[in-house]
Amino acid sequence: MTRVLRLSILLASLAPLSGCLFRSHTVERRMSTAPLMRATRDELVAGLNANATLIQTLDATVDISPSVGGSKKGKVTDYTQIRGYILLRKPAMLRMIGLFPVLRNRAFDMVSDGQTFRLSIPPRNKFVIGRNDLIYPSQEGLSGLRPQHILDALLMRPVNAQNEIAILQSENEIVIDPKSKKEAIEPNYGLEILRNDPAPVGWVLSRKIYFNREDLRISRELLYDTAGNVITDTHYSGYVKYGIVDFPSLITIDRPQEEYSIVLSIVKMIFNQPLRDDQFVLVQPPGSQLVRLDVEPPPKLPAAAEPKPSKSATNSSPPAHEE
């Protein structure tokens, strides 16, 4: 019996068993059917830079939904949503206040000038002073929150032609459809921005910005450290027109290294109104414990937002807005 004949007999004998050996099924993954817009690299960069100049100040009322945890902890804890107020003035002035639900007493009050920050946590009677760029390995979760993380998410930086170059990619991103809760393929442009840092670092991947090709709005931004690790992953959706400013109503900030996430749901937004210097001043409340993060590694700080408000929490000064 020839070799070819033996092989034919073997295959014929296995044919009735094939249904038992494997099974095929389809994977449902919907591709967007909306018309796609086109843009060049230079057009995307020009649009990004133009939009960055539109916002000089920002006065926002937001709902803040924090969560903590991930693969390191083996679980994720979602905290109670709290009402918040954000004041922002370029180039780097920021104030953020969080109020507990129902009682509206203060969960935290934080200000920053872009270099250092001051944080009051009335429920814990603590007042923290530190540098924006200093995070100790022990500070996981919301203890690692810095004003710069919020500032980076709210203000998209322009591409600096002096020390940055942009590379355009056309690609597909797999997302979860908010209506069907199934995977969908979303065509987008990816704008990789390389930055030339002082020697010996040199050229590094600084960030990557995703533009949804259905409307060319920014849907996501990844920020990297000099080793190429993702330090911030921010998602944008639900854009609303505020005069000439087109701004997302839902911003999700993920910090994978500290393992915390913050969802900002915009309730009210006012752009480019004058903001005074004294609105970015935070004085240590009398009797509160001072914690200096720029002196020595501190013990792990409690989360600024707790599931349950403390009835003994005090308000040393009224927030920028009260409802």
Side-chain angles (χ1 to χ4, degrees):
M1 186 180 295
T2 67
R3 182 177 180 181
V4 174
L5 181 58
R6 289 198 301 269
L7 181 60
S8 300
I9 295 173
L10 178 61
L11 292 176
S13 64
L14 289 177
L17 301 176
S18 61
C20 300
L21 295 177
F22 65 87
R23 182 177 59 185
S24 299
H25 65 280
T26 60
V27 176
E28 186 175 356
R29 184 173 287 169
R30 184 178 62 86
M31 172 70 81
S32 172
T33 58
L36 300 182
M37 301 180 67
R38 294 181 178 274
T40 65
R41 180 201 64 175
D42 291 344
E43 288 171 339
L44 292 175
V45 170
L48 172 65
N49 290 355
N51 288 332
T53 63
L54 293 178
I55 302 174
Q56 298 302 316
T57 68
L58 179 153
D59 183 347
T61 302
V62 299
D63 285 330
I64 305 171
S65 302
S67 61
V68 173
S71 59
K72 296 177 185 177
K73 292 182 176 294
K75 66 176 181 178
V76 175
T77 301
D78 296 322
Y79 286 89
T80 304
Q81 184 183 81
I82 62 176
R83 177 57 53 89
Y85 303 96
I86 300 175
L87 297 177
L88 186 153
R89 189 180 70 189
K90 283 186 174 179
M93 301 296 290
L94 177 79
R95 184 167 192 177
M96 186 173 180
I97 297 171
L99 304 181
F100 285 119
V102 184
L103 297 180
R104 296 296 190 189
N105 47 348
R106 195 167 305 192
F108 67 88
D109 191 345
M110 180 171 62
V111 300
S112 171
D113 60 4
Q115 300 296 321
T116 61
F117 74 94
R118 302 164 72 86
L119 170 65
S120 176
I121 312 175
R124 302 295 183 180
N125 199 32
K126 291 182 180 294
F127 191 80
V128 183
I129 299 176
R131 297 204 327 251
N132 282 6
D133 60 347
L134 190 61
I135 300 177
Y136 293 100
S138 63
Q139 291 180 276
E140 298 177 349
L142 293 177
S143 297
L145 173 63
R146 295 293 182 270
Q148 194 64 40
H149 307 164
I150 306 298
L151 189 76
D152 288 338
L154 292 175
L155 289 184
M156 192 72 63
R157 290 183 284 116
V159 177
N160 186 347
Q162 300 298 318
N163 67 338
E164 292 182 325
I165 59 174
I167 301 173
L168 178 62
Q169 295 178 322
S170 182
E171 54 190 62
N172 294 323
E173 183 181 9
I174 299 176
V175 299
I176 302 298
D177 187 284
K179 294 182 180 179
S180 65
K181 305 301 181 183
K182 297 180 180 179
E183 287 187 348
I185 299 176
E186 181 180 270
N188 57 48
Y189 285 125
L191 199 65
E192 290 190 347
I193 300 175
L194 307 180
R195 184 184 67 242
N196 190 9
D197 282 349
V201 178
W203 288 99
V204 294
L205 176 60
S206 172
R207 51 194 168 128
K208 184 171 183 178
I209 302 172
Y210 292 87
F211 297 80
N212 190 317
R213 290 196 54 194
E214 294 181 13
D215 52 20
L216 296 183
R217 286 167 165 161
I218 294 173
S219 60
R220 185 183 184 188
E221 182 184 42
L222 296 172
L223 301 181
Y224 300 87
D225 61 19
T226 55
N229 302 306
V230 175
I231 53 175
T232 305
D233 185 356
T234 306
H235 290 257
Y236 304 94
S237 61
Y239 278 79
V240 176
K241 273 283 189 181
Y242 300 89
I244 62 173
V245 179
D246 200 18
F247 201 80
S249 62
L250 188 66
I251 302 173
T252 302
I253 307 168
D254 290 320
R255 292 281 298 183
Q257 296 186 26
E258 294 88 14
E259 288 200 328
Y260 79 78
S261 297
I262 292 179
V263 178
L264 301 178
S265 302
I266 307 300
V267 177
K268 182 181 178 182
M269 181 72 77
I270 302 174
F271 291 103
N272 299 329
Q273 295 295 312
L275 296 178
R276 306 182 311 273
D277 290 343
D278 64 341
Q279 291 177 279
F280 298 94
V281 174
L282 182 61
V283 178
Q284 181 180 355
S288 61
Q289 178 187 352
L290 178 63
V291 179
R292 298 193 63 94
L293 300 187
D294 52 352
V295 175
E296 58 184 7
K300 197 170 183 178
L301 291 175
E306 297 284 351
K308 296 181 180 180
S310 170
K311 292 183 179 180
S312 61
T314 60
N315 291 327
S316 58
S317 60
H321 304 78
E322 289 283 8
E323 291 193 344

